[in-house]
Amino acid sequence: VLIYWYGVAWEHRWDSYSFIPKNKFHSYEEGVSKGFNILPPKIEKKMQSRKMLSIVEEQQLNGLAQLEEELERPKEDRIKWMTQFNEEYEDLAADFTSDGDNLIEG
């Protein structure tokens, strides 16, 4: 199953997808029933005492915030923002002008 990890920073979006075995996958409803939609008490305690969060804890915090935003959108609009970017070749092509300047010669 291909999954998206909420909370991964935009500049590291290529790390936000993983394949996991189907037997390790839980539906959203199962996750909610297990409390996966709630910030873990350990993270809450660290935040209250103003301790620095680890990268993973920061990702969990950001992920829950992103998930809440996504749940407010209609299903067909969820995660659309993730596909609104240019591929590297598109950015590179935009750097070239139509009059032949900046062309790469082989």
Side-chain angles (χ1 to χ4, degrees):
V1 177
L2 177 65
I3 61 162
Y4 171 75
W5 296 101
Y6 284 100
V8 174
W10 176 255
E11 54 273 2
H12 300 287
R13 62 188 172 274
W14 54 84
D15 288 332
S16 59
Y17 292 92
S18 294
F19 284 103
I20 62 168
K22 193 172 184 175
N23 64 343
K24 299 288 184 184
F25 177 79
H26 299 282
S27 70
Y28 175 76
E29 293 76 18
E30 288 174 304
V32 168
S33 74
K34 294 179 179 192
F36 294 161
N37 62 322
I38 299 169
L39 195 63
K42 177 184 173 185
I43 296 176
E44 281 188 37
K45 188 175 179 180
K46 281 180 92 171
M47 290 174 59
Q48 288 171 352
S49 63
R50 301 197 183 274
K51 291 183 179 176
M52 194 167 170
L53 298 179
S54 72
I55 293 171
V56 172
E57 291 167 334
E58 193 75 39
Q59 184 178 337
Q60 283 182 289
L61 178 65
N62 294 337
L64 287 172
Q66 284 180 350
L67 181 60
E68 284 182 33
E69 289 175 22
E70 288 288 87
L71 290 173
E72 292 176 10
R73 296 183 174 113
K75 283 185 179 184
E76 63 274 7
D77 291 338
R78 294 180 188 167
I79 212 160
K80 260 188 186 174
W81 55 268
M82 179 54 93
T83 62
Q84 296 172 345
F85 62 89
N86 288 338
E87 294 286 350
E88 287 180 27
Y89 72 88
E90 293 172 309
D91 290 336
L92 183 61
D95 290 342
F96 296 110
T97 62
S98 60
D99 64 4
D101 290 345
N102 299 321
L103 293 178
I104 298 174
E105 295 181 25

